[in-house]
Amino acid sequence: MKIVILHTKDASGPPEDPVLGQVERALRDGGHEPTRLMVDDSVEGLVAALRREAPDLVFNMAESYAGKSALESNVAALLNLLGLRYTGSSPAGLIQAGDKTLTKKVLSFHGIKTAKFATVYRGAVDWAGDEISFPLIVKPPQEDASLGITQKSIVRSPNELLETIGALQSEYQSPALIEQFIEGREFYVGVLGNANAKALPVIELDFSKYPPDLPKIASYEAKWGEEGEGTGAEYAGTESVFPDNLDPELERRMHEVAVAAFQALRLRDYARIDLRVAESGEVYVIEVNPNCYLEQNGEFARAAQRAGHEYPALIQTIVELASARYSR
């Protein structure tokens, strides 16, 4: 098939994200004809380019529009309007999973545990469910890749809470999502499929080398390093590993929760579900990532490989899952 790889430029990273080349090679190895198309700030230009390319399928890797993560779903909606076939989740799935507050409401409706939470904007309480108590974590609800999450996001007093809310709203011009901070182990569970979605082997974010005086969170620095440069104590102190001491029953429950979250949010093809397991053994969903990062050494691809999907086969599976949806 003629496949357009639709992507956005990462302004904070290198000129070319390595995953683009990896996906392109995998598609070519699968016998397809891939070309790249970058989403810029021109809707008219994007529409013209897509019509000119007339692809059989769009491999949708666009994570934002005009630098705004909250507009990711609009790109998929545009593909719908143009009648194009594409991989990954629909606009509805991207909207639900892209707004952390909405995600938590939907999951709660389906009986899937998330941390107790509230949302506040400019001093007004937008949502307040069950009572929550310190320590809390404060996040922007519509950013991904841990943007806006630092050690200052963990607050232990009303003064710290008000200060952090004010700083976050000034920077992101959005409500603040306030969650009960769940102490415990953190895990990533990939989900692959649609009607018969399957959970991939569990990966743990290992904090054993993390600075002992800091709360153990997957902050922006822990994921990307200081200023995204892959340096710093938090970055050096975390490692994604396949846990060798995982209770089989806990793994089964995490798989069950991940697939349930995937289905509740009506996601498609592939996603990564981030979980926290409290000391009590309860499993909480902390974030859902549709159309998750597909870098060959990233958590999702590594988990797929352990499940028997080598990287070219994984990319081909995503293509097949999307193609089957449109062949009916």
Side-chain angles (χ1 to χ4, degrees):
M1 291 189 293
K2 184 177 181 181
I3 299 180
V4 162
I5 303 170
L6 192 63
H7 65 97
T8 45
K9 184 177 181 180
D10 183 2
S12 64
E16 179 178 300
D17 190 331
V19 74
L20 292 175
Q22 294 167 0
V23 170
E24 187 174 42
R25 286 190 294 274
L27 291 172
R28 192 171 288 115
D29 289 346
H32 304 293
E33 300 175 20
T35 58
R36 303 184 197 181
L37 178 60
M38 188 174 73
V39 177
D40 56 20
D41 297 352
S42 168
V43 174
E44 294 83 357
L46 177 58
V47 169
L50 286 167
R51 285 178 169 160
R52 183 173 60 251
E53 292 291 341
D56 299 308
L57 183 75
V58 175
F59 202 102
N60 184 21
M61 298 172 62
E63 299 178 336
S64 63
Y65 179 78
K68 297 178 181 178
S69 299
L71 297 181
E72 176 185 10
S73 62
N74 292 43
V75 178
L78 179 62
L79 297 176
N80 278 351
L81 291 175
L82 295 175
L84 293 171
R85 304 177 176 196
Y86 60 96
T87 63
S89 288
S90 69
L94 294 172
I95 288 171
Q96 290 186 106
D99 185 329
K100 295 180 179 67
T101 301
L102 183 55
T103 296
K104 292 171 75 65
K105 291 177 181 178
V106 172
L107 294 182
S108 296
F109 176 82
H110 286 273
I112 300 167
K113 283 186 177 296
T114 69
K116 295 177 182 179
F117 73 102
T119 54
V120 176
Y121 189 59
R122 302 300 184 197
V125 176
D126 178 59
W127 168 269
D130 297 328
E131 289 187 7
I132 55 178
S133 57
F134 294 101
L136 305 170
I137 181 167
V138 183
K139 308 174 180 177
Q142 290 186 302
E143 299 294 334
D144 57 10
S146 289
L147 280 171
I149 300 178
T150 69
Q151 288 298 325
K152 291 183 178 180
S153 300
I154 304 294
V155 298
R156 302 179 184 278
S157 70
N159 284 343
E160 286 183 355
L161 176 60
L162 293 173
E163 182 180 332
T164 303
I165 289 174
L168 185 146
Q169 291 180 344
S170 294
E171 182 172 358
Y172 293 98
Q173 302 298 308
S174 73
L177 172 60
I178 304 164
E179 288 183 341
Q180 191 95 47
F181 178 57
I182 306 295
E183 295 276 6
R185 299 168 71 181
E186 185 157 328
F187 298 93
Y188 301 142
V189 183
V191 177
L192 184 64
N194 287 311
N196 297 311
K198 297 283 193 291
L200 299 176
V202 172
I203 286 183
E204 181 170 10
L205 186 60
D206 181 8
F207 288 103
S208 61
K209 299 177 183 176
Y210 207 69
D213 57 327
L214 298 180
K216 294 177 174 60
I217 59 171
S219 64
Y220 182 85
E221 183 179 325
K223 284 189 176 180
W224 309 106
E226 293 178 352
E227 300 181 356
E229 295 295 329
T231 60
E234 291 180 56
Y235 181 82
T238 55
E239 182 182 9
S240 298
V241 300
F242 291 104
D244 55 10
N245 60 341
L246 195 60
D247 178 71
E249 173 58 20
L250 175 58
E251 183 174 29
R252 184 197 66 77
R253 286 194 291 119
M254 286 195 288
H255 280 175
E256 189 177 80
V257 168
V259 172
F262 182 91
Q263 293 173 336
L265 294 166
R266 298 184 179 180
L267 304 187
R268 304 192 313 204
D269 300 347
Y270 66 107
R272 194 192 78 209
I273 317 299
D274 299 355
L275 307 172
R276 277 245 165 174
V277 178
E279 293 181 359
S280 63
E282 290 183 300
V283 178
Y284 294 85
V285 175
I286 56 172
E287 191 165 338
V288 176
N289 303 276
N291 299 4
C292 58
Y293 195 49
L294 289 173
E295 205 277 323
Q296 195 163 355
N297 294 315
E299 290 89 359
F300 186 86
R302 286 168 55 204
Q305 182 183 40
R306 177 160 283 212
H309 302 277
E310 295 295 332
Y311 192 76
L314 169 63
I315 300 304
Q316 181 61 27
T317 296
I318 293 171
V319 167
E320 290 170 356
L321 287 167
S323 297
R325 175 165 55 251
Y326 297 103
S327 64
R328 296 188 180 91

